[in-house]
Amino acid sequence: MTAADAPLLLARGVRKSYGSNEVVKGIDLEVRAGEVLCLLGASGSGKSTFLRCINHLEKIDAGWISVDGELVGYRRQGDKLYELKDAEIARRRSEIGMVFQSFNLFPHLSVLGNLMEAPLRVRREKPGPVRHRALALLDRVGLADKADAFPRQLSGGQQQRVAIARALAMQPKLMLFDEPTSALDPELVGDVLDVMKDLAADGMTMIVVTHEIGFAREVADSVAFLDGGVVVEHGPPERVFSDAAHPRTRSFLARVL
């Protein structure tokens, strides 16, 4: 496999425990540039924990993850992995955007300030180009008129769209979404999903933990169903949703479809 053929994300044998409770039990997955992978499964199946391992918000106990050919959180020396220093972890993490269930916006900053903060402080970019990019992103998510507003003045759906724009402001190679619509009122979900669909159509590489089956069916290139910390089913959505091979997948889908 040449570098050009290599997946953007590679995960091999990833394990994560909290004390004696092993939550992720040896996950192997890969996502190519421009693809959308949706992670499905019941609560407690390990989806969100695995997602947080991808950008080293959780330190893995075994295995490895690479994004665009670089190990996440570690360097390899011989047969061993050694954790990187905080500054290097931050640099690599800056190339992976993440949107959480809760919006995590800075309440003391305006919407525009939220978008500009990381590029200015982490990447030391010049304010002019950062402001221009931030305003363009706000327009893209339908919030061009909210640049001077503060998070408390926005609805939940608007805050989540700001959170997506803020992640995009760092021009990431990969976007991670951890149930981005689960905290929203039902009538606000569509606007957020529309932004995500637009990103997918533009070729953004995305990994999405979601219970929005309609979104996964429409947008995902592949779907992975997790149960008990392992991937029990992985394939194109049209097959997984219509002809799942694993009984646990069929049981789950029977309850949510």
Side-chain angles (χ1 to χ4, degrees), residues 143-195:
L143 294 171
D145 60 335
K146 300 295 185 183
D148 296 325
F150 285 82
R152 64 180 179 275
Q153 299 171 309
L154 305 180
S155 70
Q158 289 172 329
Q159 290 188 61
Q160 192 63 295
R161 282 185 280 157
V162 171
I164 294 172
R166 183 176 65 175
L168 292 172
M170 291 292 281
Q171 301 176 299
K173 297 175 180 178
L174 170 67
M175 283 285 287
L176 309 177
F177 294 86
D178 188 6
E179 298 192 35
T181 60
S182 65
L184 301 180
D185 293 333
E187 64 268 23
L188 303 176
V189 168
D191 289 340
V192 173
L193 293 181
D194 284 345
V195 170

Side-chain angles (χ1 to χ4, degrees), residues 6 20 26-27 35 63 66 76 108 120 130 137 142 159 161 182 199 216 218 235:
S20 60
I27 287 181
E35 289 186 345
S66 70
R76 189 185 302 277
H108 64 290
L120 292 177
V130 170
L137 286 168
Q159 290 188 61
R161 282 185 280 157
S182 65
L199 289 177
E218 179 182 350

Side-chain angles (χ1 to χ4, degrees), residues 99-111:
V99 178
F100 300 87
Q101 296 178 36
S102 54
F103 320 123
N104 292 339
L105 299 176
F106 301 122
H108 64 290
L109 294 179
S110 68
V111 166

Side-chain angles (χ1 to χ4, degrees), residues 8 67 92-98 123 133 137 164-176 204-205:
L8 184 77
V67 173
R92 296 191 185 182
R93 186 181 286 148
S94 73
E95 298 178 340
I96 306 171
M98 184 147 187
R123 293 218 174 125
R133 186 164 76 240
L137 286 168
I164 294 172
R166 183 176 65 175
L168 292 172
M170 291 292 281
Q171 301 176 299
K173 297 175 180 178
L174 170 67
M175 283 285 287
L176 309 177
M204 173 60 72
T205 312

Side-chain angles (χ1 to χ4, degrees), residues 200-227:
D202 272 1
M204 173 60 72
T205 312
M206 299 160 56
I207 302 177
V208 185
V209 172
T210 186
H211 292 294
E212 299 287 345
I213 301 300
F215 172 84
R217 191 194 297 270
E218 179 182 350
V219 177
D221 295 288
S222 63
V223 171
F225 179 76
L226 276 65
D227 185 55

Side-chain angles (χ1 to χ4, degrees), residues 30-143:
E30 57 186 60
V31 181
R32 296 190 175 277
E35 289 186 345
V36 178
L37 167 67
C38 284
L39 302 180
L40 307 179
S43 296
S45 60
K47 311 181 302 297
S48 292
T49 298
F50 173 68
L51 200 73
R52 291 170 65 87
C53 289
I54 292 174
N55 65 355
H56 205 63
L57 288 176
E58 299 288 353
K59 299 178 183 181
I60 61 177
D61 298 316
W64 54 269
I65 299 170
S66 70
V67 173
D68 200 20
E70 286 193 318
L71 289 175
V72 176
Y74 299 91
R75 61 179 174 85
R76 189 185 302 277
Q77 188 169 321
D79 294 332
K80 293 186 177 181
L81 297 181
Y82 296 89
E83 190 172 20
L84 296 170
K85 294 182 178 179
D86 289 347
E88 184 64 12
I89 291 172
R91 182 190 70 79
R92 296 191 185 182
R93 186 181 286 148
S94 73
E95 298 178 340
I96 306 171
M98 184 147 187
V99 178
F100 300 87
Q101 296 178 36
S102 54
F103 320 123
N104 292 339
L105 299 176
F106 301 122
H108 64 290
L109 294 179
S110 68
V111 166
L112 184 60
N114 266 275
L115 268 66
M116 293 179 65
E117 181 77 356
L120 292 177
R121 289 186 178 272
V122 176
R123 293 218 174 125
R124 307 292 184 185
E125 295 184 53
K126 294 181 179 179
V130 170
R131 178 184 174 85
H132 179 78
R133 186 164 76 240
L135 290 171
L137 286 168
L138 287 177
D139 184 58
R140 180 174 188 176
V141 301
L143 294 171

